[in-house]
Amino acid sequence: MDAIKPELLRGSLELMVLSTLSGGKKYGYLIQSTLWESSRETIEMKAGTLYPILHKLEKEGWVKCHWESDTGRRRKWYELTAAGKKQLKSQADEWWRYVECLRRVLAPLGELSPQTA
Amino acid sequence: MDAIKPELLRGSLELMVLSTLSGGKKYGYLIQSTLWESSRETIEMKAGTLYPILHKLEKEGWVKCHWESDTGRRRKWYELTAAGKKQLKSQADEWWRYVECLRRVLAPLGELSPQTA
DNA sequence: GAGATATATATTGTGACGCTATGCATTGGG
DNA sequence: CCCAATGCATAGCGTCACAATATATATCTC
């Protein structure tokens, strides 16, 4: 499966990270691999993209994090806060609203919900 | 209905213009208003956004255009070419592929196709 | 018929943001 | 013992949508 154009991903990357964290706390590298799998090898979020997002989430108070070095290899674990869960719901709602909007705009093409197939 | 975040629109604006033109040739201002209506007053594409896109479409050979001044008010009409229709199909396909991908990523939220409601 | 508003196209400046490149450090396999 | 994979992080760059602005005509209101 081909990769999705970067321009399309813009705006939904943060949502994807939040959603991935809704399955339990994770560290950066794990978020990357989880996203890669849940998207069926489509979303390959680069480190240079992911970490600035995580830092923003932390700054906004949407995730709380703590370092762990027990295994020798240091890891920074991220976990959704209550505000983060609220934010996730908000962004997910907007996303589906956007999809519905595009569905209407693309209606003349006769592309009737290809994703329900 | 609130407006969609600009960051989300990024990447799909060109697709929306192509789709709007699939309903027959139109001039800039008409594209704006058609899009406004087909999106149920959600997509308000600004002139500063639309015209650069139209110029790109023309440059790529996806639309052919001609000036008309019969009515006194000059208008530049845009019409999809064969290559443009092909491009439209290609971009629409990618869009739905993207939506399907996000659906999987957001699956853990239990948001089962809110748009099919 | 004067002024306001809607129509109509176009350019420029700016800021947001994802990507590439780079750097540093640890761990495990060949 | 080297190299790939793991793991976090920042700097610089390019793209691109939007705000602001400019120009001009048509229509509506009073």
Side-chain angles (χ1 to χ4, degrees), chain A residues 38-52:
Chain A
S38 70
S39 68
R40 291 200 199 170
E41 286 77 46
T42 305
I43 304 296
E44 192 178 1
M45 194 177 290
K46 304 302 168 58
T49 299
L50 176 61
Y51 289 106

Side-chain angles (χ1 to χ4, degrees), chain B residues 33-51:
Chain B
S33 55
T34 301
L35 199 45
W36 174 246
E37 286 171 22
S38 71
S39 68
R40 292 201 197 170
E41 286 77 44
T42 304
I43 304 295
E44 193 178 0
M45 194 177 291
K46 306 301 169 56
T49 300
L50 176 61
Y51 290 105

Side-chain angles (χ1 to χ4, degrees), chain A residues 109 111, chain B residues 15 84-94:
Chain A
L109 306 183
E111 300 280 352
Chain B
L15 169 59
K85 290 175 185 171
K86 193 175 169 186
Q87 181 65 20
L88 168 55
K89 167 137 182 39
S90 169
Q91 290 196 18
D93 285 349
E94 184 173 16

Side-chain angles (χ1 to χ4, degrees), chain A residues 58-110:
Chain A
E58 186 179 1
K59 186 183 164 194
E60 299 281 355
W62 296 336
V63 296
K64 54 186 170 187
C65 40
H66 65 95
W67 283 96
E68 192 184 280
S69 305
D70 302 353
T71 59
R73 180 174 282 147
R74 73 198 191 110
R75 285 168 173 165
K76 192 174 181 182
W77 291 80
Y78 295 86
E79 187 177 5
L80 280 184
T81 62
K85 289 175 186 172
K86 194 175 168 186
Q87 181 65 20
L88 169 55
K89 167 133 182 41
S90 169
Q91 290 197 18
D93 284 350
E94 184 173 15
W95 165 254
W96 290 120
R97 206 155 56 76
Y98 175 39
V99 171
E100 180 56 25
C101 178
L102 254 289
R103 179 187 307 282
R104 290 201 194 96
V105 172
L106 299 182
L109 306 183

Side-chain angles (χ1 to χ4, degrees), chain A residues 3-57:
Chain A
I4 305 284
K5 275 203 313 252
E7 306 93 69
L8 272 182
L9 276 340
R10 286 187 75 126
S12 62
L13 292 170
E14 191 174 291
L15 169 60
M16 289 192 272
V17 173
L18 286 170
S19 177
T20 301
L21 285 175
S22 74
K25 60 176 162 182
K26 296 178 177 59
Y27 54 92
Y29 204 82
L30 185 54
I31 292 173
Q32 284 182 299
S33 55
T34 301
L35 199 44
W36 174 247
E37 286 171 20
S38 70
S39 68
R40 291 200 199 170
E41 286 77 46
T42 305
I43 304 296
E44 192 178 1
M45 194 177 290
K46 304 302 168 58
T49 299
L50 176 61
Y51 289 106
I53 290 175
L54 287 173
H55 297 161
K56 185 204 168 184
L57 297 185

